Amino acid sequence: MSETVRSARGSAAVPAPDPARWKALVFIALAQLMVVLDATIVNIALPSAQQDLGISDGNRQWVVTAYALAFGGLLLFGGRVADLWGRKRAFLIGLVGFAAASALGGAASNEAMLFGARALQGVFGALLAPAALSLLAVMFTDAKERAKAFGIYGAIAGGGGAVGLILGGFLTEYLDWRWTFYVNIPFAVAAAVGAWTVIREPEGGRNRSSLDIPGVILSTLGLVALVYGFTRAESEGWSDAVTVGMFVGSAVLLAAFVFVEARVKAPLLPLRVITDRNRGGIYLSLGLAVIGMFGLFLFLTYYLQTVKGYTPVRTGFAFMPMIVGMIVGSTQIGTRLMTRVAPRLLMGPGFLVAAVGMGLLTQLEIDSSYAALLLPAMLLLGLGMGTAFMPAMSLATQGVEPRDSGVASAMVNTSQQVGGAIGTALLNTIAASATTSYITDHIRSAGTPARQQAVQLEGLVQGYSTAIWFAVGILLLAAVIAVTFINAGRPGGSTVAGSGTGEGAENEIAVPVIAH
């Protein structure tokens, strides 16, 4: 019989901490880094891949869209599969599949092969990401250790996209765009071998209920329609008939999904997971925060390369202050304070600090100084986001029944994925509209070709600044939601238990019980 200890309430035996849990964290973090950086690493390589494979301008978006649709649409399904199969098994299958899809993408000889590889990456990423987060949730039950583990995880989840920009720029500039795919293989192999060796998942929380097929179909189609609607709005406009149809169809499908989930015996997404005040507040505030973050990645990448003339590698390294800020915010500020103050007192101020950093970027001009403006802005953004993300990641799976930890983790990723799709489409549309308006108003007074070119660049920067103001407002809204919706107190004990349902559950951490 496994060694056990009594819970804080003395009512049930809980498993002693896994002695290999910190080693397991290394490989879980490595897999999470691979998934997160893959969302941006391919973006920098896209122009080279497009030229090499002869992809048309109209079709190039599918390199990004194919991944986003598969990943966003299947996350809930992937989370429930992890609960059903076991998180370790789902984690390993996700890693192997992601590596195989990456190899296929690197070897692509035509656009169809590349699009298919990206879709497969999304499929296996949707299995891997919730399995990784739910493994942390069931392996780290001590409040202080949980804070440290989720601090590391939060830093990677927040800063991995910027790491992807650096790595993508380096690989594209000095090697070949295909290496932005091949680089995933050693990540996946190392994580899979390590996970196979050290991860010992508690089995008591396995969900052995039958799979909710209607829920799978409705949620997948609804989320795919929603993500594609926002993706299409960016290129075709918000009034495009297909775009509107996607939004309407998504609303109908997701409403039907909620209706079904409230009535089936074993739902794909138990409504208790999202109707909990704290988790609902986290999903909503995280989704909004990611909209703001995508404003940063999208516009600063264009600004640095198009306006300032940075190379891809230099552009990637320009994001380093934000990575440093996220690491400090997650592993130092968040980790040290999470067991001392309520999560909302970290998330609310964190989003406010990020909003201040984003607000500095509204002052962008063609000749803005990197050291005087961009560097402090990104430091503040990183500090704020790192401080907010860390308790959010932990609280999203805190107090949830172990058998639901996979789908609760999937909802974290779903909110981020949908937020990213909304952010890219919404903020890009705002920026494009402001740019067009500025150029229309000023181009006639530009008498020389040099002045006309300057007006074009000024219009781009004006568009970025306008959209970033909206990102500031969205981050402020995320702060308000975090402070008002989330009412969980600080973790009160070293190991706590609870089902996450009912009053007072927000003060408890779910602890799985090992089956003997």
Side-chain angles (χ1 to χ4, degrees):
M1 180 175 292
S2 300
E3 181 182 356
T4 61
V5 295
R6 303 299 295 179
S7 72
R9 296 183 177 181
S11 59
V14 297
D18 187 336
R21 61 194 179 282
W22 291 108
K23 293 179 182 178
L25 175 62
V26 172
F27 302 111
I28 293 170
L30 185 63
Q32 175 66 13
L33 177 62
M34 179 187 70
V35 172
V36 174
L37 67 82
D38 194 74
T40 53
I41 192 173
V42 175
N43 290 2
I44 285 185
L46 183 54
S48 299
Q50 180 183 359
Q51 183 177 5
D52 193 15
L53 298 180
I55 302 173
S56 68
D57 287 342
N59 286 338
R60 68 181 177 183
Q61 64 163 326
W62 285 102
V63 176
V64 176
T65 303
Y67 178 86
L69 292 180
F71 187 72
L74 293 171
L75 271 168
L76 284 178
F77 179 49
R80 183 49 86 196
V81 167
D83 287 333
L84 186 65
W85 289 355
R87 291 112 195 158
K88 178 177 178 179
R89 183 182 300 175
F91 186 75
L92 291 171
I93 293 173
L95 281 170
V96 172
F98 201 93
S102 298
L104 183 66
S109 57
N110 55 60
E111 63 179 37
M113 190 172 174
L114 183 62
F115 298 160
R118 288 291 284 163
L120 279 176
Q121 281 185 314
V123 169
F124 287 104
L127 182 62
L128 176 59
L133 182 56
S134 60
L135 276 172
L136 283 189
V138 299
M139 293 185 74
F140 288 89
T141 55
D142 177 88
K144 291 184 178 180
E145 288 191 349
R146 186 182 179 93
K148 293 178 182 178
F150 277 89
I152 295 169
Y153 187 90
I156 291 173
V163 174
L165 294 174
I166 297 173
L167 190 57
F170 179 85
L171 293 173
T172 302
E173 192 165 332
Y174 295 111
L175 293 174
D176 184 81
W177 67 266
R178 297 180 184 276
W179 281 96
T180 60
F181 286 90
Y182 290 143
V183 72
N184 290 328
I185 299 174
F187 276 99
V189 170
V193 171
W196 177 267
T197 305
V198 303
I199 290 180
R200 299 290 183 268
E201 177 196 357
E203 296 180 359
R206 184 80 62 85
N207 189 333
R208 302 185 185 278
S209 303
S210 58
L211 193 60
D212 172 21
I213 300 301
V216 170
I217 295 173
L218 289 170
S219 66
T220 300
L221 292 179
L223 288 171
V224 165
L226 182 63
V227 173
Y228 183 61
F230 282 109
T231 303
R232 187 176 175 87
E234 182 185 1
S235 58
E236 303 299 329
W238 295 90
S239 60
D240 173 72
V242 176
T243 300
V244 174
M246 286 292 163
F247 287 138
V248 172
S250 173
V252 171
L253 288 165
L254 292 178
F257 171 67
V258 173
F259 180 84
V260 168
E261 297 308 277
R263 286 159 177 78
V264 296
K265 182 178 179 181
L268 176 70
L269 174 62
L271 296 185
R272 60 181 176 269
V273 172
I274 57 174
T275 55
D276 176 86
R277 175 173 178 166
N278 291 293
R279 281 190 290 275
I282 285 171
Y283 298 147
L284 186 55
S285 60
L286 272 185
L288 288 169
V290 169
I291 293 176
M293 285 296 292
F294 265 69
L296 174 73
F297 287 134
L298 182 67
F299 300 126
L300 277 193
T301 299
Y302 281 128
Y303 173 78
L304 292 171
Q305 293 194 28
T306 304
V307 179
K308 304 292 281 187
Y310 281 26
T311 64
V313 170
R314 191 180 179 189
T315 298
F317 277 104
F319 283 92
M320 277 299 294
M322 192 182 69
I323 299 174
V324 172
M326 283 192 169
I327 292 173
V328 172
S330 288
T331 63
Q332 299 303 313
I333 300 174
T335 297
R336 293 176 185 275
L337 294 180
M338 196 183 87
T339 57
R340 301 178 183 179
V341 301
R344 66 179 181 276
L345 298 182
L346 289 175
M347 293 181 64
F351 289 139
L352 286 177
V353 170
V356 171
M358 190 72 79
L360 291 178
L361 294 175
T362 62
Q363 306 304 308
L364 276 179
E365 297 178 357
I366 291 178
D367 57 352
S368 291
S369 166
Y370 177 84
L373 181 65
L374 273 71
L375 189 150
M378 285 194 282
L379 273 175
L380 288 173
L381 270 159
L383 277 171
M385 286 297 192
T387 302
F389 270 41
M390 182 265 167
M393 293 287 184
S394 177
L395 189 58
T397 53
Q398 180 176 312
V400 72
E401 295 182 20
R403 62 196 175 102
D404 294 332
S405 65
V407 75
S409 302
M411 276 300 300
V412 176
N413 291 280
T414 300
S415 66
Q416 292 176 304
Q417 185 67 21
V418 172
I422 295 172
T424 302
L426 178 63
L427 297 179
N428 199 45
T429 301
I430 293 169
S433 177
T435 295
T436 301
S437 178
Y438 182 92
I439 293 174
T440 301
D441 292 342
H442 293 81
I443 197 69
R444 292 180 181 176
S445 61
T448 64
R451 180 54 191 155
Q452 290 176 352
Q453 184 178 11
V455 168
Q456 297 279 351
L457 291 178
E458 289 169 1
L460 282 176
V461 176
Q462 180 65 30
Y464 302 156
S465 298
T466 301
I468 289 172
W469 271 118
F470 279 84
V472 171
I474 291 168
L475 284 172
L476 291 175
L477 179 58
V480 171
I481 289 173
V483 172
T484 56
F485 276 55
I486 299 170
N487 61 1
R490 66 179 179 85
S494 59
T495 304
V496 286
S499 66
T501 58
E503 293 296 327
E506 65 272 5
N507 294 314
E508 302 173 334
I509 298 177
V511 179
V513 180
I514 291 181
H516 302 290

